[in-house]
Amino acid sequence: MPLRVTFVAAARGTTLLAERFEDDRPLDQGGWDEVQRVAGALLPLAAAELRYCSPTPRSRATGAALGYAPLVQLALRDCDMGRWRGLTPAEAMAREPEAVDAWLADPRSTPHGGESLPAFISRVGGWLDTRPADDGGRIVAVAEPSVIRAALVYALKAPPQTYWNIDVRPLSTTTVTGRAGRWNLRFDGVPAQGPRARHDPNERP
């Protein structure tokens, strides 16, 4: 049976420019308010046979607030950014401009001492490929937008650089269907409306 995996992007209260690498801050009041506004539209996903979430406080809180009671998955953690963890992109650029330029130019590079972009994409894709089909065909996973971007690059077999061209808004939904090694992107109408946070290609979250 083909699997149907729906990713729900975790709520976010901060602006894009305030986002930090491996941001582990909890939801603020704005994030909670946004979850409440879209809860009715996202509640039906709680009927999925398997419900997961990233280990970040925002992902766990979003999943709990939507009634999913999700199981935390370490494989869905954000990209390991090494010594840049907790910094905004602007702060990392101010401290190590040449290292940031090298990182943006070559997705295989790890000037921060953490995980490369291809390794991150492969890790998230490995999680996707190993979802159990015996427990049912529907899966929901609440994850950070960066994790969902990595999953889509993997599912579409796109070059790693495509990661920077994918926009994932907080509390939006994205569905892939298929099975290990054979995934299709599926569009199911209008996504839930979270706060607008369009990705600026000059800012790398």
Side-chain angles (χ1 to χ4, degrees):
M1 173 190 297
L3 291 174
R4 177 189 176 102
V5 183
T6 298
F7 291 97
V8 177
R12 177 172 61 195
T14 58
T15 64
L16 180 61
L17 292 178
E19 283 294 292
R20 298 179 180 275
F21 293 120
E22 292 189 82
D23 199 338
D24 61 359
R25 290 173 294 176
L27 290 181
D28 63 10
Q29 189 58 51
W32 283 111
D33 292 344
E34 289 295 338
V35 172
Q36 295 306 311
R37 278 195 284 270
V38 303
L42 296 179
L43 185 60
L45 292 174
E49 289 83 1
L50 297 172
R51 300 174 298 280
Y52 302 110
C53 70
S54 294
T56 61
R58 293 186 303 194
S59 295
R60 297 198 308 267
T62 300
L66 293 173
Y68 297 168
L71 178 66
V72 172
Q73 299 286 280
L74 291 179
L76 294 182
R77 64 191 183 278
D78 212 338
C79 186
D80 179 0
M81 297 303 293
R83 63 180 177 276
W84 294 350
R85 185 175 190 268
L87 300 179
T88 65
E91 289 171 342
M93 176 63 79
R95 295 185 185 188
E96 302 181 52
E98 293 183 358
V100 172
D101 286 342
W103 174 63
L104 296 177
D106 182 2
R108 298 167 298 178
S109 66
T110 57
H112 44 62
E115 190 175 23
S116 71
L117 185 57
F120 174 44
I121 293 168
S122 179
R123 165 164 57 81
V124 175
W127 177 88
L128 186 62
D129 278 349
T130 54
R131 290 313 84 209
D134 295 340
D135 293 334
R138 295 176 300 170
I139 295 172
V140 63
V142 181
E144 293 296 317
S146 58
V147 173
I148 299 173
R149 290 160 67 187
L152 292 178
V153 172
Y154 182 84
L156 295 174
K157 296 182 173 65
Q161 295 90 333
T162 307
Y163 176 87
W164 301 121
N165 302 111
I166 297 176
D167 226 355
V168 177
R169 291 186 293 165
L171 294 170
S172 62
T173 61
T174 306
T175 299
V176 295
T177 61
R179 57 180 61 86
R182 298 182 62 184
W183 297 101
N184 299 301
L185 181 60
R186 176 166 178 160
F187 294 97
D188 291 314
V190 180
Q193 296 298 307
R196 293 191 65 83
R198 183 166 180 78
H199 176 62
D200 181 349
N202 294 316
E203 295 291 341
R204 307 304 191 187

